[in-house]
Amino acid sequence: MSQTIQAVLDSVRTKLRAADIESFSIDAQLIVSEALGVDKIKLVTHNTDEISDDKLNIIKEYTARRLKREPMQYILGRCEFMGLDFKVDRNTLIPRADTENLVEEAINIIKEKGYRNVLDIGTGSGAIAVSIGKYTAAEVTAVDISKAALSIAEENARQNNVYVNFIESDLFANVKGSFDMIVSNPPYIERAVIDTLDSQVKDHEPLSALDGGEDGLDFYRRITADLHRFLKKKGCIIFEIGYNQGYALYDMLVKNNFRNISVKKDLAGMDRVVTGYIS
Ligand SMILES: C[S@@+](CC[C@H](N)C(=O)[O-])C[C@H]1O[C@@H](n2cnc3c(N)ncnc32)[C@H](O)[C@@H]1O
């Protein structure tokens, strides 16, 4: 029996709400509008239109995925970051609004210092690399250990008309040359904490994008140890960090002879971005 847009919307909303999905109302709208290929306004203005069986099946599939707490961004296959559209799938971390702090700071420094080239380590969807390429004149190179993530990142660069030199690499292993700035949002979650994360993160996002080792600092240690080989004179390292990692990163950069080190907070008042320079 055919059903109207309104009836289907109500039914999806009820199912998501019963499963304690906080964003049940907006998610229901997104699911139905995506399946029908119409914008959300049309769900209101055409709410008595009937939905065909094939579209109903798509709505059922999306709803079932959301009930398993798959993030909406993976169901839609896209998300927004720095005002740009990015494709995402289960091989790429979903770019976070917090990471816009890192990108904004990086862009300001690149412009202020007239930096010409930047390396992004652990690029994932390419969110950081593509945004820097879009909003500055710097040449951008980006690496990731995941071939699958890199192929999504390449699509994102193409889709946003940005050139990024993508390299499959375990950190610096396949990187040649030196850079004015190295930027990274590496995996930084303490291993024991991963199990306590929301199912949307721990059961759906790639573990290789989250796991920062026992104390969460493994990647910072490995990257920092090689920075002097890959940063140009007066170059800058800029890391995204976890809310409780400010002191550890400050200390690590001091011990590695960086200067003008600063730890910046995000809008929630949490340590989020650390920068340091070499002489
Ligand atoms: C926290 S995610 C960041 C993704 C993206 N830069 C962002 O900010 O949304 C970390 C990324 O590091 C990559 N990664 C993990 N281990 C790596 C390694 N040894 N070498 C290069 N990249 C690595 C993961 O595949 C993942 O894409």
Side-chain angles (χ1 to χ4, degrees), residues 28-275:
Q29 286 178 347
L30 283 169
I31 285 172
V32 177
S33 62
E34 177 75 8
L36 299 183
V38 300
D39 60 35
K40 282 187 273 167
I41 298 295
K42 204 159 175 209
L43 301 183
V44 179
T45 56
H46 289 64
N47 65 342
T48 55
D49 284 8
E50 289 186 346
I51 300 184
S52 66
D53 285 348
D54 56 330
K55 303 279 190 210
L56 271 179
N57 285 335
I58 299 174
I59 292 169
K60 269 188 202 149
E61 185 220 311
Y62 290 169
T63 306
R65 287 169 65 184
R66 189 66 188 115
L67 288 171
K68 289 185 187 148
R69 303 192 75 79
E70 184 172 341
M72 271 318 295
Q73 292 92 332
Y74 288 158
I75 296 171
L76 302 177
R78 59 176 188 274
C79 69
E80 188 267 345
F81 181 81
M82 291 295 294
L84 304 172
D85 283 325
F86 285 88
K87 181 173 172 175
V88 287
D89 73 9
R90 61 193 172 78
N91 296 299
T92 61
L93 186 94
I94 298 164
R96 304 296 204 266
D98 283 340
T99 303
E100 294 186 343
N101 291 287
L102 173 77
V103 173
E104 282 163 11
E105 182 70 8
I107 290 171
N108 288 340
I109 296 171
I110 291 165
K111 290 187 173 167
E112 188 194 312
K113 308 266 179 202
Y115 283 164
R116 310 277 293 268
N117 69 349
V118 175
L119 171 67
D120 174 25
I121 301 181
T123 198
S125 64
I128 297 172
V130 172
S131 303
I132 290 176
K134 189 78 187 177
Y135 298 119
T136 75
E139 268 176 34
V140 186
T141 299
V143 303
D144 206 287
I145 201 166
S146 159
K147 215 187 193 77
L150 282 171
S151 94
I152 298 282
E154 272 164 1
E155 272 191 57
N156 284 325
R158 219 176 299 127
Q159 166 177 307
N160 285 292
N161 297 313
V162 172
Y163 176 75
V164 175
N165 176 25
F166 289 107
I167 303 171
E168 187 181 335
S169 181
D170 178 356
L171 304 186
F172 294 102
N174 299 329
V175 175
K176 293 193 176 66
S178 55
F179 301 85
D180 291 314
M181 171 181 275
I182 295 177
V183 56
S184 185
N185 173 21
Y188 60 67
I189 303 192
E190 291 165 48
R191 193 162 292 149
V193 170
I194 291 177
D195 235 17
T196 68
L197 298 176
D198 190 288
S199 150
Q200 298 195 76
V201 178
K202 73 168 186 239
D203 298 332
H204 297 279
E205 297 204 78
L207 183 63
S208 55
L210 304 172
D211 186 351
E214 215 156 291
D215 63 357
L217 302 173
D218 279 7
F219 285 91
Y220 299 112
R221 272 188 218 100
R222 286 180 61 199
I223 294 170
T224 302
D226 275 335
L227 284 175
H228 287 272
R229 279 206 294 138
F230 290 94
L231 270 178
K232 288 184 192 162
K233 251 180 132 179
K234 301 195 169 160
C236 172
I237 174 66
I238 174 162
F239 281 127
E240 176 168 321
I241 56 172
Y243 72 97
N244 56 356
Q245 294 173 331
Y247 283 114
L249 261 294
Y250 188 93
D251 195 46
M252 202 182 291
L253 291 183
V254 168
K255 286 187 175 137
N256 281 275
N257 301 317
F258 278 77
R259 59 180 179 79
N260 294 350
I261 303 162
S262 70
V263 178
K264 295 232 158 77
K265 294 189 189 298
D266 59 23
L267 289 174
M270 305 292 183
D271 288 349
R272 186 59 61 195
V273 176
V274 60
T275 49

